[in-house]
Amino acid sequence: MNSTVILKGNILYTPRPSEFISIPHGYIIAVDGVVVYCGESIPPAYAACEVTDYGDNLIIPGFVDTHAHAPQYCNRGLGMDKELLPWLETYTFPEEAKFSDPDYARLVYGAFVQDLWRNGTTRSILFGTIHKESTLVLMELLQKAGLSAYVGKVNMDRNGGENLEETTEESIRETLRWLESCKRFRFVRPIITPRFTPACTDELMAELGRIAAEQNLYVQSHLSENVDEIEWVRSLHPDCRQYWESYDKFGLWKSHTVMAHCIHSDERER
């Protein structure tokens, strides 16, 4: 039997980037969790269904966050005294190293997922850490909460410091094991996640590109966030004219790649 939900309230939504629609005291009808109607009145076919009236409250689509680091939840608001690279070394890498403990991950990720709900973020693209089990904990909590997300087990086989670095072989092996475990999730999907070019050797980048192509997976990473970072990439890949090409040459730059920041991307890179 179909489950029908009808909500009444002040509806706001954007069916296209250039169009903004407002329906005062309008109706949204969902059947089995899928919106089938949005308008000023209830169609006759649904006239007998119960309506939940939210009065003058707003009814809007859930927010989408296309880039967030779930393990940095406890670091929010910290480190405003440093640029990107020393900030990572001072604050972020030591915090992420704690996620080798799945119990710590469950504590932090539980609060993070709760805050996603509280703020109306129903879909997101997230970085986990290098730790397979903790990344699966994050995916499990998102699934139980009914939130949709792409989640990445981070890959780092260099420049991660003493406690946040994998060997190349370990990174590849654990990624494949993680992907196998991800098959049990319905609304939470894996995304290949090299942290950024300086954190991954050529061998690892090439293998991640192969896995992404073989399993038809999305890819996420960082691009042109900081001028020192850009210079670092240039020194590591002198054959690349621009930062993005350090991903492209390994098959990690394609139509389903999501790059965070892009603050210093010029016209060619854009």
Side-chain angles (χ1 to χ4, degrees):
M1 184 177 180
N2 291 340
S3 172
T4 301
V5 174
I6 303 180
L7 309 180
K8 182 181 180 182
N10 294 317
I11 300 166
L12 299 175
Y13 70 102
T14 52
R16 284 166 289 280
S18 61
E19 187 177 358
F20 185 89
I21 291 179
S22 169
I23 307 176
H25 300 115
Y27 298 87
I28 288 179
I29 301 176
V31 177
D32 292 337
V34 177
V35 174
V36 296
Y37 173 83
C38 183
E40 296 179 354
S41 59
I42 300 176
Y46 300 96
C49 297
E50 182 179 351
V51 177
T52 302
D53 191 342
Y54 285 96
D56 284 329
N57 287 315
L58 296 178
I59 300 177
I60 62 175
F63 296 121
V64 179
D65 190 336
T66 58
H67 177 66
H69 288 261
Q72 293 176 20
Y73 176 81
C74 292
N75 276 4
R76 62 200 188 282
L78 298 179
M80 301 302 287
D81 56 319
K82 298 187 182 299
E83 290 283 346
L84 172 66
L85 300 179
W87 172 78
L88 288 171
E89 294 172 0
T90 305
Y91 297 104
T92 303
F93 290 169
E95 173 63 20
E96 290 193 15
K98 298 176 185 177
F99 287 77
S100 60
D101 179 359
D103 290 334
Y104 182 76
R106 189 169 296 277
L107 178 68
V108 175
Y109 288 154
F112 172 75
V113 169
Q114 188 177 47
D115 262 5
L116 287 181
W117 256 123
R118 184 178 294 116
N119 290 283
T121 303
T122 56
R123 288 172 171 79
S124 50
I125 305 176
L126 304 173
F127 276 59
T129 62
I130 64 173
H131 312 101
K132 173 177 68 74
E133 291 305 321
S134 289
T135 303
L136 289 169
V137 167
L138 173 59
M139 299 176 81
E140 172 199 324
L141 291 170
L142 289 161
Q143 177 83 6
K144 285 183 177 178
L147 298 173
S148 178
Y150 285 92
V151 175
K153 177 217 164 296
V154 172
N155 297 97
M156 299 178 64
D157 66 342
R158 64 177 177 183
N159 296 319
E162 183 179 351
N163 299 314
L164 199 70
E165 194 173 290
E166 314 161 287
T167 65
T168 304
E169 295 74 17
E170 180 185 14
S171 187
I172 295 167
R173 182 186 69 245
E174 291 300 284
T175 296
L176 291 171
R177 288 178 174 174
W178 165 67
L179 289 171
E180 189 64 29
S181 298
C182 289
K183 293 178 180 178
R184 69 178 187 264
F185 301 114
R186 183 180 176 191
F187 301 115
V188 183
R189 300 177 183 178
I191 183 168
I192 294 296
T193 306
R195 185 178 203 111
F196 66 155
T197 297
C200 299
T201 61
D202 290 4
E203 181 183 354
L204 179 56
M205 293 281 266
E207 186 62 18
L208 293 176
R210 185 194 67 78
I211 293 170
E214 187 178 84
Q215 300 195 28
N216 193 31
L217 296 169
Y218 283 20
V219 174
Q220 68 174 342
S221 195
H222 297 88
L223 184 72
S224 301
E225 180 179 0
N226 174 276
V227 291
D228 290 340
E229 169 205 15
I230 294 170
E231 287 304 314
W232 193 9
V233 171
R234 185 174 287 117
S235 70
L236 292 169
H237 294 273
D239 57 317
C240 294
R241 179 177 164 189
Q242 289 187 301
Y243 193 161
W244 66 272
E245 292 170 311
S246 68
Y247 297 106
D248 185 48
K249 69 178 182 179
F250 297 114
L252 294 165
W253 183 270
K254 44 193 178 179
S255 61
H256 44 285
T257 295
V258 181
M259 285 289 163
H261 304 301
C262 307
I263 294 168
H264 299 282
S265 296
D266 63 12
E267 184 177 354
R268 178 174 181 264
E269 190 164 77
R270 290 194 299 271

